Amino acid sequence: MTKIDTSSPEQVLPTPSHTVGPFYGYALPFRGGEEIAPLGHPDTITVHGYVLDGEGKPLPDALVELWGPRPDGTVPRVDGSIRRDPATGGYLGRNGVEFTGWGRIQTDADGHWYARTLRPGARGQSAPYLSVCVFARGLLVHLFTRIYLPDDAAALAADPLLTRVGDRRDTLIAAEESPGTYRFDIRLQGEGETVFLEFQ
């Protein structure tokens, strides 16, 4: 919808649907979104990285959403990532026990993000991966990608999606920095652009 200034019939002012945000930074981030794994769980891993623009500069106002299965490959069906107090409507946070598999992380001033989640298990013919959704300035439509872990070379070689993307497959595979810690940078465009997926 376009808002028309009646004092000047020729002037058409942009409305939020015609401008590029980020407007999501006001309502979508929530405290503790990066702490997806239940406290003290033995299969916890940390995944972190930067969201980078086409020039390789970090974006300090991007959002990264992660979804992942349990270590046995089953998809969690538990509610409760964003629990609210029924009396006040305030945010209560996760209960620290149940695994929802979902988190939302805002990049910091340096464009860095991190999440603590459970090591994903394989599902079907796919190698283990985390699903990712990226919101960032300049994007009218959010982007989807995957984070594969580098632990099983045979599973990665047989993964149907990685086989289809050919020599760009490395943009979908995290680097292991230390046991249980993985680095995954998301480059939105330019050289080394991350492979993004379109769902139809």
Side-chain angles (χ1 to χ4, degrees):
M1 174 183 277
T2 301
K3 178 181 175 185
I4 297 175
D5 183 351
T6 55
S7 65
S8 174
E10 300 85 33
Q11 186 177 13
V12 178
L13 302 175
T15 62
S17 64
H18 295 99
T19 58
V20 175
F23 297 109
Y24 51 76
Y26 297 106
L28 293 181
F30 64 97
R31 187 177 67 255
E34 67 281 351
E35 299 294 337
I36 305 167
L39 297 174
H41 197 288
D43 291 319
T44 299
I45 61 170
T46 299
V47 183
H48 76 102
Y50 292 85
V51 177
L52 306 168
D53 67 14
E55 297 177 347
K57 295 179 181 173
L59 296 179
D61 51 11
L63 276 179
V64 176
E65 286 188 354
L66 295 180
W67 295 273
R70 295 182 185 94
D72 65 3
T74 59
V75 177
R77 302 280 186 216
V78 178
D79 293 333
S81 291
I82 307 176
R83 295 182 312 123
R84 298 210 175 265
D85 184 322
T88 66
Y91 174 68
L92 290 174
R94 298 177 194 273
N95 65 14
V97 176
E98 296 173 309
F99 177 66
T100 65
W102 179 81
R104 181 183 292 149
I105 307 102
Q106 187 167 16
T107 56
D108 66 16
D110 296 321
H112 185 258
W113 65 274
Y114 85 92
R116 288 180 55 261
T117 189
L118 296 185
R119 182 178 299 280
R123 298 178 58 218
Q125 296 178 332
S126 297
Y129 67 87
L130 298 169
S131 295
V132 181
C133 182
V134 182
F135 301 79
R137 68 170 86 154
L139 296 179
L140 296 178
V141 178
H142 43 276
L143 302 173
F144 295 96
T145 189
R146 289 180 178 178
I147 301 173
Y148 286 90
L149 301 181
D151 306 326
D152 188 339
L156 293 173
D159 183 90
L161 177 67
L162 291 177
T163 303
R164 291 180 62 195
V165 298
D167 60 355
R168 294 187 60 205
R169 70 193 299 271
D170 289 343
T171 69
L172 297 175
I173 302 173
E176 186 173 20
E177 292 187 326
S178 62
T181 301
Y182 301 89
R183 168 88 180 259
F184 186 81
D185 293 336
I186 302 167
R187 185 177 290 268
L188 300 180
Q189 60 180 323
E191 185 177 348
E193 177 183 329
T194 301
V195 170
F196 295 105
L197 311 174
E198 183 175 300
F199 296 97
Q200 297 180 346

